[in-house]
Amino acid sequence: MAARAAGVYPSKGSGLGEYGGVTFPSVLKAYNRESDYRRWKLGQEYYFGSGRSWADYQIHSLARFVTGAVDGSSKDIVTLFPSSTSPENAWYVGMRTRGSIMLPLPINAAAITLNTADPDPANHTLTYNVSGVLSAAQVGIFSVFVGDQFEDSASGPSYPDDLISKPAGSVALTLLAANPGSMTLVFDLSKPQGRIQRNGRIYWSRLPYDPASPTLWNTSGSRYLCSSFKMFCCCPDHLGGALANLEYPGGKRTGAGLDEFPLPNANRTVRSAWERQGTGYYRQWRSLPQRVDQRRECKHIHALRWQCGIPWFEPDDYPTQEERDILEVAGGSEGQFTDAEMRRYFALRQLNDDRYVLSLAEVVGLELFPGSDVRDAIRPDPRPLLWNDSEEPLAVWCRQNDWWLERGTKRLRIFNASTGQFESTVTIGGTTYPMLEVVDPSSPNAPVIVP
């Protein structure tokens, strides 16, 4: 056998991705970096019940605001995923259902302006003039939804009856700005996403962008613009290493210890004393991107994507009918859960609303971790804020539609700037409603998932 040149040679089981003194990522690692397939696969197993329990408990609610984007309410569902590594034995996943925000008139091609002169396609935008569609006050509220996606998958303005089921070919664009003065909404044109159909199943996918022929909404006059699904999970994989707010995570069976959470990025610095305290968490290592289309998703969100009919498209990713039958029959409670842990899960999930409101507030559009000390009345973000303090915040710190959840309780209030008080109700059209109403899933006004 001829002698080989000096160096490190890969062999089966060791040295993979290495040659000489350079380490290269394996094909699978490179693929995971782009598509996050590992979490995607775990989410698929959750949905099809492959040895794990999920959706044991889903809370349907209507969150109402004094001045709403359209009808003054947000239609949301929070799902609990039992987990032995959570201090409360559950992770809460918030979801604002598709169509929670619906424009009252069809998409008008004459109101659309494409801004594609910039040589960098990443700066290309779509400006939608909503004069005669929304009021200036409603356009101002849309600043709360900057970073969210809006799609052309409704046939009318009524929720949920006019939401089109399995709308293959629908297009979603990300909202960049809302300008009440010019009555316009500005969207990112360069990063479209939407539904594609493969082998009879609908998937969610990034769509190609060609500046010469950009991917646009359906402007035939038969489609209405509505908000896409928006999801948020309080697990550390999604939130970025935050630790639970209720108690210090202790041993292996009572919660996850510090060593089990990711360490902070070396370049990341805590922005303020307020962030050290957190709002619902006492520590946060990184800021979540405000844009939905830039946020990494955990396995819990991937599971809900299957329920919503928008799993990310992966090549050869769906089970055959035979495999699906096996997966659905094999579903059950997580094997590592003891009877005591299950009892603790059922007890803690009704103890207080701290984690529930945290996940709900994010998808509704509230700010969780402001980049300044809000106790100095410095509020650079236009969104309302979730206060999760033991004591009521001072009125001079607050703005319209701020939420205050008294820590460790179920007492939730909304700030009314006209009275300078936190209140439990809001008045819309002369009628008084609870600011947060938990509804039965079968009730006529309950949030609905339309795949």
Side-chain angles (χ1 to χ4, degrees), residues 68-80:
V70 180
D71 65 354
S73 66
S74 181
K75 297 86 173 174
D76 316 292
I77 300 174
V78 175
T79 304
L80 274 67

Side-chain angles (χ1 to χ4, degrees), residues 87-104:
E88 295 182 14
N89 277 43
W91 300 119
Y92 289 64
V93 186
M95 176 210 306
R96 189 181 66 205
T97 57
R98 174 165 70 101
S100 182
I101 307 158
M102 301 178 71
L103 267 61

Side-chain angles (χ1 to χ4, degrees), residues 30-267:
Y31 184 51
N32 273 330
R33 183 182 296 115
E34 174 64 26
S35 69
D36 208 17
Y37 182 77
R38 180 173 61 87
R39 290 177 177 86
W40 181 95
K41 187 64 176 175
L42 290 171
Q44 184 192 53
E45 292 174 357
Y46 258 120
Y47 177 75
F48 287 107
S50 178
R52 293 177 177 269
S53 63
W54 78 283
D56 160 78
Y57 187 44
Q58 288 190 308
I59 306 171
H60 295 64
S61 64
L62 300 173
R64 297 187 175 92
F65 299 90
V66 176
T67 303
V70 180
D71 65 354
S73 66
S74 181
K75 297 86 173 174
D76 316 292
I77 300 174
V78 175
T79 304
L80 274 67
F81 283 80
S83 172
S84 61
T85 59
S86 166
E88 295 182 14
N89 277 43
W91 300 119
Y92 289 64
V93 186
M95 176 210 306
R96 189 181 66 205
T97 57
R98 174 165 70 101
S100 182
I101 307 158
M102 301 178 71
L103 267 61
L105 295 177
I107 300 172
N108 182 6
I112 293 177
T113 302
L114 303 183
N115 311 300
T116 58
D118 195 296
D120 185 359
N123 296 326
H124 293 181
T125 60
L126 178 151
T127 301
Y128 189 43
N129 191 309
V130 291
S131 300
V133 180
L134 300 173
S135 67
Q138 289 175 323
V139 175
I141 294 297
F142 266 79
S143 62
V144 172
F145 309 125
V146 167
D148 295 350
Q149 293 172 317
F150 288 80
E151 58 183 77
D152 56 349
S153 61
S155 61
S158 298
Y159 175 94
D161 298 336
D162 291 334
L163 292 174
I164 303 172
S165 179
K166 301 180 180 179
S170 64
V171 175
L173 300 178
T174 303
L175 180 66
L176 296 180
N179 304 311
S182 60
M183 294 296 291
T184 57
L185 302 175
V186 181
F187 296 87
D188 189 339
L189 191 61
S190 67
K191 298 179 180 63
Q193 296 182 357
R195 293 172 182 80
I196 62 174
Q197 186 168 4
R198 295 290 187 275
N199 298 314
R201 182 186 285 278
I202 300 296
Y203 297 92
W204 191 263
S205 178
R206 297 177 181 87
L207 302 178
Y209 175 65
D210 180 2
S213 180
T215 303
L216 301 176
W217 297 315
N218 185 329
T219 57
S220 63
S222 62
R223 294 293 183 93
Y224 287 65
L225 197 64
C226 68
S227 58
S228 303
F229 287 104
K230 180 183 180 182
M231 303 177 196
F232 171 85
C233 182
C234 67
C235 79
D237 189 33
H238 180 65
L239 191 55
L243 297 183
N245 61 334
L246 294 184
E247 64 246 293
Y248 178 83
K252 178 68 176 176
R253 309 309 292 177
T254 60
L258 280 169
D259 294 339
E260 297 183 35
F261 286 83
L263 292 175
N265 187 308
N267 297 323

